[in-house]
Amino acid sequence: KIQACVRERVCSNSNQSSSKLEGLHKMDSDSKLLLKAAEDYFAVWNSKDLKKLENCFVAEKAVLRDWDISVEGTSKVVEANGNIFKAVPKIAIEVVKVHPCVCTCSASCEILVKLNNDKNEVLKVVDVIDFDKDYKIKALRAYKG
């Protein structure tokens, strides 16, 4: 459980000394769990297994928003992903970097979305993923660029 979401914690503070900022690079257990939850989600997404994908999200009210899609409700989120898999069957995500933030129970994820099409297109995307206390995804917002 993410205890850090309810206890006071500072993710970034411009008043911190450089030695304190260096200490932020050492991940605590909550950060590691958020990192693992994000990495596990992308592994499941790449498997294109919709049942496993559904299990990554909260039971009812998940939200997905990107530059083309805006849906609310876990079944609609899973359906939207299924439509992506049908439209772009060879699509795959490469995780570049995950930035967990325990103070918001979220992770900002730099990813490359490889369409694996004739043009060999790759989209640079940032996914912002909000988790609940059980590391289920409540909301995923994707930004291209």
Side-chain angles (χ1 to χ4, degrees):
K1 312 292 184 222
I2 302 177
Q3 299 289 328
C5 289
V6 292
R7 69 178 177 252
E8 187 175 339
R9 188 184 275 262
V10 177
C11 287
S12 63
N13 182 341
S14 60
N15 295 329
Q16 291 180 321
S17 70
S18 61
S19 63
K20 286 184 181 178
L21 286 174
E22 290 166 8
L24 289 175
H25 294 288
K26 295 178 182 176
M27 281 197 195
D28 61 18
S29 61
D30 291 329
S31 294
K32 288 178 184 174
L33 290 170
L34 284 168
L35 178 69
K36 182 178 179 344
E39 290 175 340
D40 288 351
Y41 163 72
F42 290 116
V44 169
W45 197 93
N46 280 332
S47 78
K48 300 175 181 69
D49 183 325
L50 296 181
K51 190 64 181 162
K52 287 182 181 177
L53 189 66
E54 182 177 19
N55 291 331
C56 291
F57 290 87
V58 293
E60 295 294 324
K61 299 184 180 184
V63 175
L64 171 66
R65 189 181 75 222
D66 69 13
W67 52 94
D68 287 329
I69 301 167
S70 182
V71 294
E72 200 168 319
T74 302
S75 62
K76 290 182 181 177
V77 169
V78 172
E79 179 183 355
N81 279 284
N83 291 337
I84 291 169
F85 301 150
K86 286 177 191 169
V88 191
K90 295 180 182 177
I91 195 168
I93 290 175
E94 177 186 327
V95 179
V96 176
K97 181 116 174 132
V98 176
H99 307 274
C101 184
V102 294
C103 62
T104 59
C105 301
S106 65
S108 297
C109 309
E110 299 173 49
I111 61 175
L112 299 175
V113 179
K114 298 180 176 187
L115 302 183
N116 293 315
N117 57 12
D118 294 339
K119 297 178 186 176
N120 220 15
E121 292 176 275
V122 176
L123 306 176
K124 292 181 180 178
V125 176
V126 173
D127 279 358
V128 179
I129 306 173
D130 296 331
F131 295 96
D132 73 359
K133 63 182 177 55
D134 296 316
Y135 303 99
K136 299 283 188 173
I137 298 171
K138 297 189 301 184
L140 191 151
R141 296 172 308 282
Y143 303 94
K144 190 165 53 167

